Amino acid sequence: QKEVEQDPGPLSVPEGAIVSLNCTYSNSAFQYFMWYRQYSRKGPELLMYTYSSGNKEDGRFTAQVDKSSKYISLFIRDSQPSDSATYLCAMSVGTYKYIFGTGTRLKVLA
Amino acid sequence: EAQVTQNPRYLITVTGKKLTVTCSQNMNHEYMSWYRQDPGLGLRQIYYSMNVEVTDKGDVPEGYKVSRKEKRNFPLILESPSPNQTSLYFCASSSQGSTEAFFGQGTRLTVV
């Protein structure tokens, strides 16, 4: 069993839809939870991070962490074609050694 | 501009021919690392470095070497590349205590 599981997709949604992306994990010691966005032919860029449990909101993006279920989510409201990318979840015990999910490919159709 | 620079961006080589992929960051970050990205496997850490002259193995270190003689540079060395090292490689850096890793643009390596 992988430490971090993420559905690879692809996920296709119409413009304006609410998108839900998820990861599950097995290591209860993880404390830092991150979402990276990776456009084609580019390196990943940090989108959001959450420490421990709870929600965090930034514009159209909301990150949720449920440590009791070992489950994290990223919600995208009013999705735009420019949101089309691969979304990677990442987790770590400390602030340096990250374990990444395989990434979910998202396509937002205009 | 703050950035992580990798070179080359694309490389095709033959089995057994030593190669080096360079990585340089201009943010004075202490922490640097190398990842490989493969379909269905995601990003896997190869090696990381906490600071100058301090390096350690990640999850998939076999067949790779690194060195950290200067804070800004963290080259990845493949002494004898094999076809199973064909992959997309990323270098990343972050400052001590930060959760944000800055990634380079990637190096697509093909070993034939």
Side-chain angles (χ1 to χ4, degrees), chain A:
Chain A
Q1 183 194 4
K2 288 182 182 176
E3 256 186 307
V4 177
E5 300 273 5
Q6 185 175 10
D7 189 329
L11 182 62
S12 292
V13 300
E15 183 175 356
I18 296 175
V19 176
S20 172
L21 303 168
N22 312 295
C23 288
T24 58
Y25 63 93
S26 57
N27 187 349
S28 58
F30 286 143
Q31 292 276 40
Y32 298 88
F33 302 90
M34 292 143 282
W35 286 96
Y36 281 81
R37 179 174 60 195
Q38 184 176 19
Y39 289 114
S40 181
R41 302 180 191 277
K42 300 283 189 183
E45 296 174 301
L46 182 67
L47 194 57
M48 297 189 72
Y49 104 88
T50 310
Y51 173 72
S52 195
S53 278
N55 295 358
K56 190 169 186 177
E57 191 172 318
D58 184 2
R60 297 185 293 111
F61 299 88
T62 300
Q64 286 186 350
V65 175
D66 182 348
K67 290 191 76 178
S68 62
S69 301
K70 297 192 182 71
Y71 188 88
I72 71 169
S73 301
L74 177 71
F75 297 97
I76 307 174
R77 288 182 300 280
D78 187 26
S79 55
Q80 303 295 309
S82 58
D83 294 328
S84 297
T86 297
Y87 290 80
L88 302 148
C89 63
M91 311 177 187
S92 65
V93 175
T95 55
Y96 51 90
K97 185 165 171 50
Y98 313 115
I99 306 296
F100 283 84
T102 52
T104 299
R105 199 151 45 99
L106 171 67
K107 188 164 188 178
V108 181
L109 306 169

